[in-house]
Amino acid sequence: MSILTRRHLLRRAALSATAATPVSAVLGVSAAATTATGLAACQPGDSAADPATATSPDIRRSFPPDFGWGAATSAYQIEGAAKEDGRGESIWDSFSRTPGRTRNGDTGDVAADHYQRYAEDLDLMRDLGLRSYRFSISWPRIQPDGTGAANQRGLDFYRRLVDGLHERGIAPMATLFHWDLPQSLQDTGGWESRDVAYRFADYAAIVFDALGERVPVWLTINEPKTVVQNGYLSGHHAPGRQDPDAAYLVAHHLQLAHGLAVGALRATGSNSRIGPAFNLHPCYPADDSTEAAEATRLYDGYENRLYLDSALTGSYPEDVLADLGPNSRMVRGIRDGDLEIISSPIDLLAVQYYTPIYVTASGGMARRWPTSEAQWQQIYPDGMYDILTRVTRDYGQIPLTVTENGLPTPDVLSAEGTVEDHGRITFLRDHLAAAHQAIADGVPLESFHVWSLLDNFEWAEGYEQRWGLIYVDYPTQRRVFKRSAHWYRQVIADNAI
Ligand code: GCO
């Protein structure tokens, strides 16, 4: 396994070492030179040459009439009720309860208490004017041990949630797996075990039977790459492993699980649509050297093509396979027919965009733009344009949905009961402007979901980072519309920014 594979991006951790270093010093070139060379070499999207163009609040940009304005959450991050109604233990329960794994020892035991307060939260979504709500289903609520009969009380919760969405005119979009693997399955090998992909398909079939066409859009696996990189390379997410050889076998099994779930939906004869949710990162060389260009190409393979190519074209990228080597567990783990399953036709592709990546000649990462409170996140709205147009250019006119985009800001609830998160408004407006430009240039983007509806449990960062449109006062569980929520409600009402 190459050095690049081992040093390859560890999302949410790797950039913190350079946090205080000026961009030009990190890159070793002037910022202007980097923009020109980096984008010219890496990305044909020409709006990227001037990242400031997307930001003017004076230009009104209207979205297509039926555009799906949404917001997103995931089960472990908001539900709490860790032991209610027969829910089993997930790897995030055991991981977060292990001392030293999360900031302040935070866990999702209570989170935003959404399991109890879902009706109030549904009303808030209606007040916001949402047209689409993306949530995830907790596998250990449905199958506490990851196999066997369904736990009806778990299914009933999601039935109530889906019914409540329909009653309020909001389209449900459900993710089947947002990282909360039943601990019992981890104990038998977790995603390193091929069998877990088949257990996932069984679980998916139970959920499809119960909720059927009440859910018009299903997403299979959320961000397989983050499981690979954070769960198995850096180890700062559950299950906390640091094993590159295992990591890419896990990537293959996650992709296989995705394909098997697509097949399980088709087997029901459902008219609902289905696709994967990939976090994609546009990769740019940090300088104009041949080495940086080559390193960027391989980064792109690991960050994007590993997932996109297998799901959409039925092959893994040759450069990544060569880099992993024929004796890697992943390459040895690919069986005849797997790629046909993985590339089962899908109906839409969910794209999650947060940050670009700049790659140095030595295969490291560099910082080019200011970061948010999340040190791994460089704020670069034109990356949204670049990644959306690139997917359409390279993979054709498959319908796209943005299922996550957002940032954490230092939100404070004032004595008057307001939260002035103007940085979030600027961020979302700029990224929506980039998405709007992508639509104008032919990208079939049908909806956009802000991450996140509510402040919530941000994995290893616990409750310290606030990503919501709606502020959650954790001691009281009071919800407060932030300034950005008021702004987003107006955007939805206007169908324009
Ligand atoms: C992810 C997840 C979300 C995160 C969000 C902010 O992208 O990692 O889907 O659960 O909370 O991205 O980091």
Side-chain angles (χ1 to χ4, degrees), residues 15 23 51-52 55 282 284 353-358 366-384 405-410 422-431 467:
L15 280 172
V23 169
T55 61
Y284 309 104
Y353 170 70
Y354 287 98
T355 188
I357 292 176
Y358 292 87
R367 175 162 305 161
R368 173 74 179 80
W369 306 106
T371 61
S372 73
E373 280 188 338
Q375 291 295 313
W376 53 266
Q377 182 180 32
Q378 302 186 57
I379 299 177
Y380 183 57
D382 286 342
M384 172 73 87
N405 177 241
L407 87 172
T409 52
H422 295 275
R424 177 167 289 106
I425 295 173
T426 303
F427 178 98
L428 290 173
R429 193 187 61 225
D430 292 351
H431 284 76
W467 291 75

Side-chain angles (χ1 to χ4, degrees), residues 11-12 74 77 134 178-179 222-223 226 237 279 352 354 376 404 451 456-459 465 467:
R11 187 179 167 194
R12 293 178 177 75
S74 88
Q77 294 180 274
R134 175 190 178 225
H178 202 122
W179 307 350
N222 177 70
E223 298 192 359
T226 308
H237 277 188
N279 54 326
Q352 317 196 152
Y354 287 98
W376 53 266
E404 291 185 23
W451 184 271
N456 60 48
F457 175 79
E458 176 57 12
W459 308 113
Q465 292 179 1
W467 291 75

